[in-house]
Amino acid sequence: MSTQSDNLRVVLVSTRNPLNIGAAARAMSNFGFLSLRVVNPYEVAFREARSAVGASAVLQKAEKHSSIAKAIADCSLVVGTTTLRQRERHHPLYRLEEGAQRIRTSLSTTRVALLFGSEKVGLSNEDLSHCHWLVHIPTRDAHPSMNLGQAVAVCLYELVRGWKPVKAKKTPVASSGELERITTVLMETLRASGYLGRTAPVTAEAKVRRLIRRMSLQDGDADLLLGMLRQILWKVHSNG
């Protein structure tokens, strides 16, 4: 279990209350997940959160990032948590028990990022574009949202509840950092070729990002595709 738990990155995005970060850190320590990353936390003093009873080490070692792309760059699977109430869905969505099983399988061979959004609005569409798929806790429709610390605890409990030996896959998959580089170069190529305007909306980039993630590229294939795109981009610029 230690190798699997070491491969999980809990990522809190734009958390507004440092006490919720502390509660999440406490839940992580309870269940043996020690890698916490925060993206643009509302309060800078989250490392002193009193709610992190017995989990000060998790807070002290927490990584602070300015963007989701940087926080998940070394992860090959990115899973978002959401209720998706009154929002158009662009990703596969699994109930927590099924999503946890899928995460456990991936944790045996690669790093996984589990994303939680802000207390007020959750993960935005832009945030979700970095995800491969989504998971939701089956709460009742009349009261779907949970406290952030509680949601983290429920998700991590479901992960450890079903630990079992799994057969490791031999072929490494591309990391989110590699996929983001492909997305960036592909967007540049689409603009340079005239397929997209120079001021293409943010939604266009989100669609391209989701497309790249749906391809489930292996590590070597990602390098090959990135090389091809860079050559195409160079050719377009040289003939411009």
Side-chain angles (χ1 to χ4, degrees):
M1 174 180 168
S2 59
T3 299
Q4 291 167 292
S5 58
D6 288 345
N7 277 339
L8 185 73
R9 308 295 187 255
V10 174
V11 182
L12 307 182
V13 182
S14 301
T15 307
R16 300 178 62 84
N17 190 332
L19 293 179
N20 286 333
I21 300 179
R26 182 176 183 177
M28 291 173 62
S29 182
N30 287 150
F31 297 111
F33 299 97
L34 306 179
S35 181
L36 172 63
R37 296 176 179 180
V38 295
V39 179
N40 295 324
Y42 186 73
E43 291 284 351
V44 295
F46 69 89
R47 298 186 195 277
E48 287 76 40
R50 296 188 301 274
S51 53
V53 179
S56 58
V58 175
L59 285 185
Q60 293 306 314
K61 294 180 180 179
E63 298 179 16
K64 185 178 178 181
H65 295 275
S66 59
S67 68
I68 290 179
K70 292 178 180 178
I72 64 173
D74 63 339
C75 298
S76 297
L77 173 63
V78 181
V79 179
T81 57
T82 184
T83 61
L84 278 186
R85 298 293 193 270
Q86 299 178 340
R87 185 185 296 183
E88 184 179 1
R89 193 175 74 194
H90 300 286
H91 299 75
L93 177 66
Y94 303 102
R95 279 173 60 105
L96 178 58
E97 56 269 34
E98 182 178 357
Q101 178 57 52
R102 291 172 176 270
I103 291 173
R104 283 193 295 268
T105 300
S106 296
L107 285 174
S108 63
T109 58
T110 190
R111 295 188 183 98
V112 178
L114 183 58
L115 272 59
F116 296 85
S118 71
E119 301 91 333
K120 188 174 182 180
V121 297
L123 294 169
S124 68
N125 288 333
E126 172 67 16
D127 299 336
L128 293 174
S129 72
H130 291 273
C131 299
H132 292 85
W133 44 268
L134 309 176
V135 66
H136 75 102
I137 299 171
T139 52
R140 69 188 183 104
D141 291 341
H143 193 185
S145 63
M146 295 181 67
N147 171 270
L148 177 59
Q150 293 175 336
V152 172
V154 170
C155 289
L156 298 186
Y157 167 73
E158 187 64 31
L159 277 177
V160 301
R161 189 173 69 88
W163 284 124
K164 61 179 67 175
V166 294
K167 186 176 181 180
K169 296 180 180 180
K170 295 182 179 180
T171 305
V173 295
S175 69
S176 289
E178 292 172 310
L179 298 181
E180 191 63 18
R181 285 191 288 274
I182 291 173
T183 301
T184 299
V185 176
L186 179 54
M187 286 295 296
E188 292 178 7
T189 304
L190 294 175
R191 292 189 181 99
S193 67
Y195 184 85
L196 288 177
R198 291 291 178 180
T199 58
V202 174
T203 54
E205 183 172 351
K207 288 180 180 179
V208 171
R209 184 177 290 114
R210 291 195 296 266
L211 171 65
I212 296 300
R213 278 153 178 75
R214 287 197 297 269
M215 296 171 69
S216 300
L217 291 169
Q218 297 177 1
D219 199 9
D221 293 339
D223 290 337
L224 179 62
L225 179 57
L226 184 59
M228 290 190 292
L229 288 173
R230 283 173 171 163
Q231 179 64 26
I232 293 172
L233 181 59
W234 174 83
K235 194 68 174 179
V236 170
H237 283 315
S238 64
N239 291 335

